[in-house]
């Protein structure tokens, strides 16, 4: 199969600290040649940079996950933009899944939106693509993203909300292990509606491990399972999915 790219894998997560080299080797044996580590928790960012600097085929993004915005400041990590391995801003976005009690909900939403917009403005200023995390916040996220017509990026772990297809002129859609879940009816139904030149592969490792490995630690070597599912749903062969998704990744993130 063609060179595959895992556009979203948290290789800086502590669960890989003892076998990162083996994880990358297994992925390469399965045709996954390049990896992008998204920014999530600033305390892990130095590890992401170290890994990217240690392996020529690993890159990173600079950002703060919505769950990590409290007590962290985007300006404190902006200096990592100078690193040539930094190829995107994010992951960032809106996540309303774990909001506090009702009286505090609107304030938390307001803070998330402010930090999200700060990431967007940094991406535009830096001329880098944005990696977006959206969970139970599609309408608010669409409203914000649709305001910035010169913004490009990827909707990581695309949640299958149809309103977000309205961003397909500038955004790509990250498809990962969720598509293989037995209860993944929603994402399977919407896959054919995504423009094929907007599909990206990802694992979100170590999370969201694809079937039949659910319950195990996820890793980039499982990308071919996502390819196989896409092939089944879209009626394309695995090689074509690989070629298509890799071209899409280069179109968004550059030649890496």
């Amino acid at each position: 199969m063609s060179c595959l790219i895992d556009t979203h894998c948290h290789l800086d997560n502590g669960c890989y600290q003892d076998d990162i080299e083996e994880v990358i080797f297994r992925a390469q044996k399965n045709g996954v040649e390049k990896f992008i580590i998204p920014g999530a928790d600033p305390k892990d960012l130095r590890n992401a940079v170290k890994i990217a600097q240690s392996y020529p085929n690993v890159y990173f993004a600079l950002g703060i996950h919505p769950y990590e915005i409290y007590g962290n400041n985007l300006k404190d990590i902006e200096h990592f933009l100078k690193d040539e391995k930094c190829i995107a801003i994010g992951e960032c976005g809106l996540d309303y899944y774990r909001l506090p009690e009702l009286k505090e909900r609107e304030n938390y939403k307001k803070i998330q939106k402010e930090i999200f917009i700060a990431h967007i403005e940094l991406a535009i200023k830096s001329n880098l693509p944005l990696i977006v995390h959206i969970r139970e916040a599609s309408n608010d996220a669409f409203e914000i993203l649709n305001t910035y017509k010169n913004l490009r990026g990827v909707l990581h772990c695309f949640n299958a909300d149809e309103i977000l297809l309205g961003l397909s002129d500038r955004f790509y859609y990250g498809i990962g292990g969720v598509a293989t879940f037995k209860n993944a009816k929603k994402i399977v139904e919407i896959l054919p509606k995504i423009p094929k030149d907007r599909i990206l592969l990802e694992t979100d490792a170590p999370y969201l491990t694809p079937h039949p490995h659910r319950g195990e630690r996820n890793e980039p070597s499982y990308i071919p399972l996502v390819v196989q599912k896409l092939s089944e749903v879209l009626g394309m062969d695995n090689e074509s999915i690989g070629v298509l998704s890799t071209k899409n990744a280069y179109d968004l993130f550059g030649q890496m």
Side-chain angles (χ1 to χ4, degrees):
M1 189 181 297
S2 302
C3 161
L4 302 173
I5 300 175
D6 189 342
T7 62
H8 198 109
C9 50
H10 298 274
L11 296 180
D12 55 340
N13 188 284
C15 70
Y16 299 116
Q17 65 181 355
D18 295 328
D19 65 345
I20 183 68
E21 190 164 341
E22 289 85 354
V23 167
I24 291 174
F25 177 73
R26 276 194 296 273
Q28 291 177 312
K29 281 185 64 178
N30 282 281
V32 185
E33 294 291 341
K34 295 187 178 182
F35 315 82
I36 300 174
I37 304 174
D41 188 338
K43 77 175 187 298
D44 296 328
L45 188 55
R46 288 191 182 278
N47 190 34
V49 175
K50 180 181 178 182
I51 294 169
Q53 290 175 343
S54 300
Y55 296 92
N57 52 348
V58 179
Y59 302 81
F60 74 93
L62 180 159
I64 306 174
H65 187 285
Y67 287 172
E68 306 296 341
I69 61 175
Y70 308 102
N72 288 309
N73 192 323
L74 184 59
K75 290 190 178 298
D76 292 339
I77 57 174
E78 284 185 15
H79 63 279
F80 287 107
L81 280 169
K82 298 176 183 177
D83 194 298
E84 63 180 10
K85 286 298 198 75
C86 182
I87 61 171
I89 301 298
E91 68 184 286
C92 60
L94 303 178
D95 192 319
Y96 296 167
Y97 181 66
R98 295 180 183 172
L99 290 176
E101 293 302 318
L102 189 60
K103 68 177 183 178
E104 292 291 333
R105 288 175 67 87
E106 292 308 312
N107 186 50
Y108 272 72
K109 287 182 180 181
K110 179 176 179 290
I111 294 170
Q112 283 198 21
K113 290 176 184 178
E114 289 172 351
I115 304 300
F116 185 25
I117 290 170
H119 280 83
I120 290 171
E121 292 176 347
L122 182 60
I124 293 172
K125 177 183 175 182
S126 307
N127 193 29
L128 290 174
L130 191 72
I131 299 173
V132 182
H133 170 105
I134 303 171
R135 190 175 187 188
E136 297 192 8
S138 293
N139 290 333
D140 283 356
F142 176 83
E143 182 178 346
I144 291 171
L145 292 171
N146 201 39
T147 301
Y148 295 88
K149 301 301 183 182
N150 55 342
L151 180 68
R152 59 198 170 92
V154 53
L155 305 183
H156 145 65
C157 194
F158 178 46
N159 63 16
D161 281 349
E162 195 148 355
I163 186 175
L164 298 174
L165 292 180
L167 299 168
S168 64
D169 59 327
R170 295 168 290 120
F171 277 81
Y172 293 71
Y173 299 82
I175 308 299
V178 172
T180 72
F181 294 178
K182 292 180 179 179
N183 62 349
K185 182 179 179 181
K186 189 177 178 185
I187 186 67
V188 168
E189 287 179 347
I190 206 169
L191 274 174
K193 299 180 182 180
I194 302 173
K196 290 184 175 60
D197 63 354
R198 296 296 178 181
I199 291 174
L200 296 180
L201 301 176
E202 62 171 58
T203 57
D204 200 23
Y207 314 107
L208 302 177
T209 311
H211 176 80
H213 298 284
R214 291 192 71 179
E216 303 173 18
R217 181 187 72 173
N218 198 5
E219 58 180 67
S221 62
Y222 293 149
I223 279 281
L225 295 171
V226 180
V227 172
Q228 179 60 39
K229 186 64 180 185
L230 284 168
S231 298
E232 294 170 6
V233 175
L234 299 179
M236 299 171 64
D237 59 75
N238 288 5
E239 181 68 20
S240 296
I241 294 291
V243 170
L244 174 75
S245 61
T246 296
K247 179 184 182 302
N248 293 346
Y250 285 136
D251 286 346
L252 179 60
F253 295 108
Q255 284 304 305
M256 292 183 276

mmCIF file of all heavy atoms in Angstrom, residues 111-151:
data_model
loop_
_atom_site.group_PDB
_atom_site.id
_atom_site.type_symbol
_atom_site.label_atom_id
_atom_site.label_comp_id
_atom_site.label_asym_id
_atom_site.label_seq_id
_atom_site.Cartn_x
_atom_site.Cartn_y
_atom_site.Cartn_z
ATOM 1 N N ILE A 111 -15.378 30.962 27.630
ATOM 2 C CA ILE A 111 -13.923 30.826 27.725
ATOM 3 C C ILE A 111 -13.402 29.927 26.604
ATOM 4 O O ILE A 111 -12.394 30.237 25.949
ATOM 5 C CB ILE A 111 -13.529 30.259 29.097
ATOM 6 C CG1 ILE A 111 -13.881 31.266 30.199
ATOM 7 C CG2 ILE A 111 -12.036 29.927 29.140
ATOM 8 C CD1 ILE A 111 -13.751 30.705 31.603
ATOM 9 N N GLN A 112 -14.086 28.816 26.357
ATOM 10 C CA GLN A 112 -13.653 27.921 25.282
ATOM 11 C C GLN A 112 -13.651 28.650 23.936
ATOM 12 O O GLN A 112 -12.708 28.498 23.143
ATOM 13 C CB GLN A 112 -14.568 26.694 25.202
ATOM 14 C CG GLN A 112 -14.317 25.664 26.271
ATOM 15 C CD GLN A 112 -14.922 24.309 25.919
ATOM 16 O OE1 GLN A 112 -15.190 24.006 24.756
ATOM 17 N NE2 GLN A 112 -15.131 23.478 26.933
ATOM 18 N N LYS A 113 -14.679 29.428 23.685
ATOM 19 C CA LYS A 113 -14.751 30.157 22.417
ATOM 20 C C LYS A 113 -13.613 31.158 22.284
ATOM 21 O O LYS A 113 -13.018 31.297 21.203
ATOM 22 C CB LYS A 113 -16.106 30.870 22.297
ATOM 23 C CG LYS A 113 -17.285 29.940 22.092
ATOM 24 C CD LYS A 113 -18.591 30.722 22.085
ATOM 25 C CE LYS A 113 -19.789 29.799 21.971
ATOM 26 N NZ LYS A 113 -21.071 30.545 22.021
ATOM 27 N N GLU A 114 -13.291 31.840 23.350
ATOM 28 C CA GLU A 114 -12.214 32.829 23.311
ATOM 29 C C GLU A 114 -10.872 32.177 22.991
ATOM 30 O O GLU A 114 -10.092 32.685 22.178
ATOM 31 C CB GLU A 114 -12.138 33.576 24.646
ATOM 32 C CG GLU A 114 -13.303 34.522 24.889
ATOM 33 C CD GLU A 114 -13.303 35.106 26.290
ATOM 34 O OE1 GLU A 114 -12.496 34.642 27.134
ATOM 35 O OE2 GLU A 114 -14.123 36.014 26.562
ATOM 36 N N ILE A 115 -10.593 31.040 23.624
ATOM 37 C CA ILE A 115 -9.333 30.340 23.383
ATOM 38 C C ILE A 115 -9.314 29.747 21.984
ATOM 39 O O ILE A 115 -8.267 29.745 21.301
ATOM 40 C CB ILE A 115 -9.099 29.243 24.438
ATOM 41 C CG1 ILE A 115 -9.145 29.828 25.852
ATOM 42 C CG2 ILE A 115 -7.781 28.537 24.192
ATOM 43 C CD1 ILE A 115 -8.104 30.897 26.116
ATOM 44 N N PHE A 116 -10.440 29.249 21.533
ATOM 45 C CA PHE A 116 -10.560 28.716 20.173
ATOM 46 C C PHE A 116 -10.223 29.801 19.150
ATOM 47 O O PHE A 116 -9.428 29.587 18.222
ATOM 48 C CB PHE A 116 -11.975 28.183 19.978
ATOM 49 C CG PHE A 116 -12.226 27.485 18.669
ATOM 50 C CD1 PHE A 116 -11.188 26.892 17.954
ATOM 51 C CD2 PHE A 116 -13.516 27.392 18.157
ATOM 52 C CE1 PHE A 116 -11.437 26.229 16.744
ATOM 53 C CE2 PHE A 116 -13.771 26.736 16.965
ATOM 54 C CZ PHE A 116 -12.731 26.162 16.257
ATOM 55 N N ILE A 117 -10.802 30.962 19.328
ATOM 56 C CA ILE A 117 -10.553 32.072 18.399
ATOM 57 C C ILE A 117 -9.088 32.501 18.440
ATOM 58 O O ILE A 117 -8.502 32.851 17.407
ATOM 59 C CB ILE A 117 -11.497 33.249 18.725
ATOM 60 C CG1 ILE A 117 -12.937 32.870 18.340
ATOM 61 C CG2 ILE A 117 -11.066 34.523 18.007
ATOM 62 C CD1 ILE A 117 -13.988 33.835 18.818
ATOM 63 N N ALA A 118 -8.464 32.444 19.607
ATOM 64 C CA ALA A 118 -7.038 32.774 19.709
ATOM 65 C C ALA A 118 -6.208 31.811 18.865
ATOM 66 O O ALA A 118 -5.250 32.221 18.185
ATOM 67 C CB ALA A 118 -6.587 32.740 21.166
ATOM 68 N N HIS A 119 -6.552 30.533 18.890
ATOM 69 C CA HIS A 119 -5.870 29.544 18.046
ATOM 70 C C HIS A 119 -6.097 29.859 16.562
ATOM 71 O O HIS A 119 -5.162 29.785 15.754
ATOM 72 C CB HIS A 119 -6.397 28.141 18.336
ATOM 73 C CG HIS A 119 -5.830 27.485 19.557
ATOM 74 N ND1 HIS A 119 -6.321 27.730 20.817
ATOM 75 C CD2 HIS A 119 -4.818 26.594 19.713
ATOM 76 C CE1 HIS A 119 -5.642 26.991 21.693
ATOM 77 N NE2 HIS A 119 -4.717 26.301 21.054
ATOM 78 N N ILE A 120 -7.334 30.177 16.210
ATOM 79 C CA ILE A 120 -7.660 30.494 14.816
ATOM 80 C C ILE A 120 -6.825 31.663 14.321
ATOM 81 O O ILE A 120 -6.228 31.625 13.234
ATOM 82 C CB ILE A 120 -9.165 30.811 14.676
ATOM 83 C CG1 ILE A 120 -9.995 29.542 14.873
ATOM 84 C CG2 ILE A 120 -9.466 31.452 13.324
ATOM 85 C CD1 ILE A 120 -11.485 29.779 14.978
ATOM 86 N N GLU A 121 -6.773 32.714 15.122
ATOM 87 C CA GLU A 121 -6.022 33.904 14.715
ATOM 88 C C GLU A 121 -4.531 33.613 14.604
ATOM 89 O O GLU A 121 -3.848 34.158 13.718
ATOM 90 C CB GLU A 121 -6.311 35.033 15.698
ATOM 91 C CG GLU A 121 -7.758 35.520 15.598
ATOM 92 C CD GLU A 121 -8.122 36.578 16.631
ATOM 93 O OE1 GLU A 121 -7.324 36.757 17.595
ATOM 94 O OE2 GLU A 121 -9.186 37.208 16.478
ATOM 95 N N LEU A 122 -4.017 32.737 15.469
ATOM 96 C CA LEU A 122 -2.609 32.360 15.386
ATOM 97 C C LEU A 122 -2.350 31.549 14.113
ATOM 98 O O LEU A 122 -1.315 31.726 13.456
ATOM 99 C CB LEU A 122 -2.204 31.552 16.617
ATOM 100 C CG LEU A 122 -0.731 31.120 16.677
ATOM 101 C CD1 LEU A 122 0.195 32.335 16.674
ATOM 102 C CD2 LEU A 122 -0.483 30.267 17.926
ATOM 103 N N ALA A 123 -3.275 30.675 13.759
ATOM 104 C CA ALA A 123 -3.129 29.878 12.539
ATOM 105 C C ALA A 123 -3.101 30.778 11.308
ATOM 106 O O ALA A 123 -2.276 30.582 10.403
ATOM 107 C CB ALA A 123 -4.265 28.868 12.430
ATOM 108 N N ILE A 124 -3.982 31.755 11.270
ATOM 109 C CA ILE A 124 -4.017 32.676 10.130
ATOM 110 C C ILE A 124 -2.739 33.506 10.077
ATOM 111 O O ILE A 124 -2.111 33.654 9.019
ATOM 112 C CB ILE A 124 -5.255 33.581 10.227
ATOM 113 C CG1 ILE A 124 -6.537 32.752 10.040
ATOM 114 C CG2 ILE A 124 -5.190 34.703 9.191
ATOM 115 C CD1 ILE A 124 -7.812 33.501 10.316
ATOM 116 N N LYS A 125 -2.319 34.018 11.211
ATOM 117 C CA LYS A 125 -1.100 34.822 11.293
ATOM 118 C C LYS A 125 0.128 34.018 10.861
ATOM 119 O O LYS A 125 1.023 34.551 10.181
ATOM 120 C CB LYS A 125 -0.917 35.325 12.731
ATOM 121 C CG LYS A 125 0.359 36.120 12.956
ATOM 122 C CD LYS A 125 0.484 36.507 14.433
ATOM 123 C CE LYS A 125 1.809 37.196 14.717
ATOM 124 N NZ LYS A 125 1.946 37.529 16.162
ATOM 125 N N SER A 126 0.164 32.746 11.232
ATOM 126 C CA SER A 126 1.314 31.893 10.945
ATOM 127 C C SER A 126 1.211 31.192 9.592
ATOM 128 O O SER A 126 2.144 30.486 9.195
ATOM 129 C CB SER A 126 1.461 30.834 12.044
ATOM 130 O OG SER A 126 1.496 31.411 13.328
ATOM 131 N N ASN A 127 0.070 31.336 8.937
ATOM 132 C CA ASN A 127 -0.203 30.649 7.663
ATOM 133 C C ASN A 127 -0.049 29.134 7.806
ATOM 134 O O ASN A 127 0.571 28.467 6.987
ATOM 135 C CB ASN A 127 0.711 31.166 6.548
ATOM 136 C CG ASN A 127 0.252 30.711 5.169
ATOM 137 O OD1 ASN A 127 -0.936 30.486 4.939
ATOM 138 N ND2 ASN A 127 1.195 30.553 4.249
ATOM 139 N N LEU A 128 -0.637 28.608 8.883
ATOM 140 C CA LEU A 128 -0.603 27.174 9.143
ATOM 141 C C LEU A 128 -2.029 26.634 9.233
ATOM 142 O O LEU A 128 -2.952 27.359 9.621
ATOM 143 C CB LEU A 128 0.125 26.882 10.457
ATOM 144 C CG LEU A 128 1.639 27.123 10.474
ATOM 145 C CD1 LEU A 128 2.182 26.933 11.885
ATOM 146 C CD2 LEU A 128 2.354 26.200 9.502
ATOM 147 N N PRO A 129 -2.224 25.363 8.882
ATOM 148 C CA PRO A 129 -3.559 24.769 9.017
ATOM 149 C C PRO A 129 -3.931 24.572 10.486
ATOM 150 O O PRO A 129 -3.059 24.486 11.362
ATOM 151 C CB PRO A 129 -3.415 23.427 8.302
ATOM 152 C CG PRO A 129 -1.963 23.121 8.355
ATOM 153 C CD PRO A 129 -1.254 24.439 8.295
ATOM 154 N N LEU A 130 -5.234 24.488 10.744
ATOM 155 C CA LEU A 130 -5.773 24.359 12.094
ATOM 156 C C LEU A 130 -6.320 22.945 12.294
ATOM 157 O O LEU A 130 -7.037 22.423 11.441
ATOM 158 C CB LEU A 130 -6.897 25.375 12.294
ATOM 159 C CG LEU A 130 -7.433 25.581 13.705
ATOM 160 C CD1 LEU A 130 -6.416 26.333 14.560
ATOM 161 C CD2 LEU A 130 -8.757 26.344 13.680
ATOM 162 N N ILE A 131 -5.972 22.329 13.418
ATOM 163 C CA ILE A 131 -6.517 21.025 13.791
ATOM 164 C C ILE A 131 -7.614 21.262 14.814
ATOM 165 O O ILE A 131 -7.353 21.760 15.914
ATOM 166 C CB ILE A 131 -5.422 20.117 14.370
ATOM 167 C CG1 ILE A 131 -4.317 19.882 13.335
ATOM 168 C CG2 ILE A 131 -6.025 18.777 14.816
ATOM 169 C CD1 ILE A 131 -3.107 19.141 13.893
ATOM 170 N N VAL A 132 -8.850 20.911 14.451
ATOM 171 C CA VAL A 132 -10.022 21.303 15.239
ATOM 172 C C VAL A 132 -10.672 20.101 15.918
ATOM 173 O O VAL A 132 -10.924 19.064 15.295
ATOM 174 C CB VAL A 132 -11.060 22.004 14.347
ATOM 175 C CG1 VAL A 132 -12.261 22.467 15.185
ATOM 176 C CG2 VAL A 132 -10.436 23.192 13.620
ATOM 177 N N HIS A 133 -10.951 20.265 17.195
ATOM 178 C CA HIS A 133 -11.651 19.269 18.010
ATOM 179 C C HIS A 133 -13.056 19.802 18.295
ATOM 180 O O HIS A 133 -13.202 20.899 18.849
ATOM 181 C CB HIS A 133 -10.886 19.051 19.316
ATOM 182 C CG HIS A 133 -11.618 18.230 20.334
ATOM 183 N ND1 HIS A 133 -11.299 16.914 20.603
ATOM 184 C CD2 HIS A 133 -12.650 18.540 21.169
ATOM 185 C CE1 HIS A 133 -12.102 16.454 21.547
ATOM 186 N NE2 HIS A 133 -12.929 17.420 21.911
ATOM 187 N N ILE A 134 -14.083 19.039 17.921
ATOM 188 C CA ILE A 134 -15.468 19.453 18.168
ATOM 189 C C ILE A 134 -16.227 18.287 18.781
ATOM 190 O O ILE A 134 -16.278 17.192 18.212
ATOM 191 C CB ILE A 134 -16.185 19.879 16.871
ATOM 192 C CG1 ILE A 134 -15.434 21.016 16.173
ATOM 193 C CG2 ILE A 134 -17.622 20.299 17.175
ATOM 194 C CD1 ILE A 134 -15.959 21.325 14.788
ATOM 195 N N ARG A 135 -16.823 18.524 19.937
ATOM 196 C CA ARG A 135 -17.653 17.495 20.564
ATOM 197 C C ARG A 135 -18.880 18.137 21.177
ATOM 198 O O ARG A 135 -18.773 19.015 22.041
ATOM 199 C CB ARG A 135 -16.865 16.735 21.633
ATOM 200 C CG ARG A 135 -17.594 15.494 22.151
ATOM 201 C CD ARG A 135 -16.723 14.719 23.116
ATOM 202 N NE ARG A 135 -17.340 13.444 23.480
ATOM 203 C CZ ARG A 135 -16.880 12.618 24.416
ATOM 204 N NH1 ARG A 135 -15.778 12.938 25.078
ATOM 205 N NH2 ARG A 135 -17.506 11.485 24.691
ATOM 206 N N GLU A 136 -20.036 17.751 20.679
ATOM 207 C CA GLU A 136 -21.327 18.279 21.135
ATOM 208 C C GLU A 136 -21.353 19.806 21.082
ATOM 209 O O GLU A 136 -21.924 20.467 21.956
ATOM 210 C CB GLU A 136 -21.653 17.758 22.540
ATOM 211 C CG GLU A 136 -21.817 16.245 22.572
ATOM 212 C CD GLU A 136 -22.418 15.723 23.867
ATOM 213 O OE1 GLU A 136 -22.849 16.550 24.702
ATOM 214 O OE2 GLU A 136 -22.454 14.489 24.035
ATOM 215 N N ALA A 137 -20.736 20.372 20.059
ATOM 216 C CA ALA A 137 -20.668 21.826 19.914
ATOM 217 C C ALA A 137 -20.629 22.220 18.440
ATOM 218 O O ALA A 137 -20.056 23.246 18.078
ATOM 219 C CB ALA A 137 -19.425 22.356 20.628
ATOM 220 N N SER A 138 -21.236 21.419 17.586
ATOM 221 C CA SER A 138 -21.095 21.620 16.142
ATOM 222 C C SER A 138 -21.644 22.958 15.659
ATOM 223 O O SER A 138 -21.032 23.613 14.813
ATOM 224 C CB SER A 138 -21.771 20.470 15.388
ATOM 225 O OG SER A 138 -21.082 19.262 15.607
ATOM 226 N N ASN A 139 -22.779 23.370 16.183
ATOM 227 C CA ASN A 139 -23.368 24.620 15.707
ATOM 228 C C ASN A 139 -22.500 25.824 16.055
ATOM 229 O O ASN A 139 -22.245 26.694 15.205
ATOM 230 C CB ASN A 139 -24.777 24.803 16.280
ATOM 231 C CG ASN A 139 -25.784 23.829 15.686
ATOM 232 O OD1 ASN A 139 -25.620 23.364 14.562
ATOM 233 N ND2 ASN A 139 -26.825 23.521 16.436
ATOM 234 N N ASP A 140 -22.027 25.885 17.298
ATOM 235 C CA ASP A 140 -21.163 26.996 17.704
ATOM 236 C C ASP A 140 -19.846 26.968 16.942
ATOM 237 O O ASP A 140 -19.333 28.012 16.511
ATOM 238 C CB ASP A 140 -20.899 26.942 19.207
ATOM 239 C CG ASP A 140 -22.081 27.427 20.034
ATOM 240 O OD1 ASP A 140 -23.082 27.870 19.433
ATOM 241 O OD2 ASP A 140 -22.013 27.365 21.276
ATOM 242 N N ALA A 141 -19.279 25.767 16.767
ATOM 243 C CA ALA A 141 -18.009 25.654 16.056
ATOM 244 C C ALA A 141 -18.161 26.072 14.599
ATOM 245 O O ALA A 141 -17.312 26.787 14.051
ATOM 246 C CB ALA A 141 -17.482 24.226 16.145
ATOM 247 N N PHE A 142 -19.254 25.640 13.969
ATOM 248 C CA PHE A 142 -19.490 26.017 12.575
ATOM 249 C C PHE A 142 -19.608 27.530 12.430
ATOM 250 O O PHE A 142 -19.030 28.138 11.526
ATOM 251 C CB PHE A 142 -20.761 25.357 12.048
ATOM 252 C CG PHE A 142 -21.110 25.772 10.636
ATOM 253 C CD1 PHE A 142 -20.498 25.143 9.555
ATOM 254 C CD2 PHE A 142 -22.019 26.790 10.395
ATOM 255 C CE1 PHE A 142 -20.801 25.531 8.250
ATOM 256 C CE2 PHE A 142 -22.331 27.181 9.106
ATOM 257 C CZ PHE A 142 -21.722 26.547 8.031
ATOM 258 N N GLU A 143 -20.352 28.142 13.343
ATOM 259 C CA GLU A 143 -20.547 29.595 13.287
ATOM 260 C C GLU A 143 -19.219 30.335 13.375
ATOM 261 O O GLU A 143 -18.976 31.296 12.639
ATOM 262 C CB GLU A 143 -21.479 30.035 14.418
ATOM 263 C CG GLU A 143 -21.791 31.524 14.407
ATOM 264 C CD GLU A 143 -22.745 31.927 15.514
ATOM 265 O OE1 GLU A 143 -23.365 31.041 16.132
ATOM 266 O OE2 GLU A 143 -22.860 33.147 15.766
ATOM 267 N N ILE A 144 -18.340 29.874 14.255
ATOM 268 C CA ILE A 144 -17.039 30.525 14.414
ATOM 269 C C ILE A 144 -16.157 30.277 13.194
ATOM 270 O O ILE A 144 -15.591 31.211 12.600
ATOM 271 C CB ILE A 144 -16.339 30.032 15.693
ATOM 272 C CG1 ILE A 144 -17.082 30.549 16.930
ATOM 273 C CG2 ILE A 144 -14.874 30.500 15.733
ATOM 274 C CD1 ILE A 144 -16.606 29.949 18.242
ATOM 275 N N LEU A 145 -16.028 29.017 12.787
ATOM 276 C CA LEU A 145 -15.127 28.677 11.680
ATOM 277 C C LEU A 145 -15.589 29.307 10.367
ATOM 278 O O LEU A 145 -14.763 29.705 9.535
ATOM 279 C CB LEU A 145 -15.044 27.155 11.526
ATOM 280 C CG LEU A 145 -14.342 26.419 12.663
ATOM 281 C CD1 LEU A 145 -14.518 24.908 12.508
ATOM 282 C CD2 LEU A 145 -12.861 26.768 12.709
ATOM 283 N N ASN A 146 -16.880 29.400 10.195
ATOM 284 C CA ASN A 146 -17.415 29.952 8.951
ATOM 285 C C ASN A 146 -17.170 31.453 8.831
ATOM 286 O O ASN A 146 -17.306 32.029 7.756
ATOM 287 C CB ASN A 146 -18.917 29.653 8.847
ATOM 288 C CG ASN A 146 -19.418 29.728 7.430
ATOM 289 O OD1 ASN A 146 -18.737 29.297 6.498
ATOM 290 N ND2 ASN A 146 -20.607 30.269 7.252
ATOM 291 N N THR A 147 -16.786 32.070 9.937
ATOM 292 C CA THR A 147 -16.506 33.514 9.929
ATOM 293 C C THR A 147 -15.156 33.807 9.292
ATOM 294 O O THR A 147 -14.954 34.890 8.721
ATOM 295 C CB THR A 147 -16.514 34.046 11.381
ATOM 296 O OG1 THR A 147 -17.794 33.790 11.964
ATOM 297 C CG2 THR A 147 -16.237 35.544 11.420
ATOM 298 N N TYR A 148 -14.248 32.841 9.355
ATOM 299 C CA TYR A 148 -12.871 33.063 8.891
ATOM 300 C C TYR A 148 -12.676 32.382 7.534
ATOM 301 O O TYR A 148 -12.311 31.215 7.440
ATOM 302 C CB TYR A 148 -11.884 32.510 9.913
ATOM 303 C CG TYR A 148 -11.931 33.229 11.242
ATOM 304 C CD1 TYR A 148 -12.816 32.822 12.238
ATOM 305 C CD2 TYR A 148 -11.104 34.314 11.501
ATOM 306 C CE1 TYR A 148 -12.879 33.486 13.457
ATOM 307 C CE2 TYR A 148 -11.154 34.983 12.714
ATOM 308 C CZ TYR A 148 -12.042 34.559 13.688
ATOM 309 O OH TYR A 148 -12.102 35.226 14.890
ATOM 310 N N LYS A 149 -12.938 33.132 6.476
ATOM 311 C CA LYS A 149 -12.918 32.568 5.127
ATOM 312 C C LYS A 149 -11.517 32.230 4.634
ATOM 313 O O LYS A 149 -11.363 31.483 3.666
ATOM 314 C CB LYS A 149 -13.590 33.539 4.152
ATOM 315 C CG LYS A 149 -15.030 33.879 4.490
ATOM 316 C CD LYS A 149 -15.922 32.644 4.533
ATOM 317 C CE LYS A 149 -17.375 33.009 4.798
ATOM 318 N NZ LYS A 149 -18.253 31.820 4.884
ATOM 319 N N ASN A 150 -10.489 32.791 5.262
ATOM 320 C CA ASN A 150 -9.111 32.506 4.847
ATOM 321 C C ASN A 150 -8.450 31.454 5.732
ATOM 322 O O ASN A 150 -7.225 31.301 5.732
ATOM 323 C CB ASN A 150 -8.269 33.781 4.853
ATOM 324 C CG ASN A 150 -8.291 34.496 6.196
ATOM 325 O OD1 ASN A 150 -9.165 34.245 7.025
ATOM 326 N ND2 ASN A 150 -7.347 35.396 6.417
ATOM 327 N N LEU A 151 -9.263 30.707 6.469
ATOM 328 C CA LEU A 151 -8.770 29.673 7.384
ATOM 329 C C LEU A 151 -8.894 28.309 6.723
ATOM 330 O O LEU A 151 -9.869 28.027 6.030
ATOM 331 C CB LEU A 151 -9.588 29.707 8.675
ATOM 332 C CG LEU A 151 -9.231 28.705 9.767
ATOM 333 C CD1 LEU A 151 -7.857 29.017 10.365
ATOM 334 C CD2 LEU A 151 -10.296 28.738 10.872
#
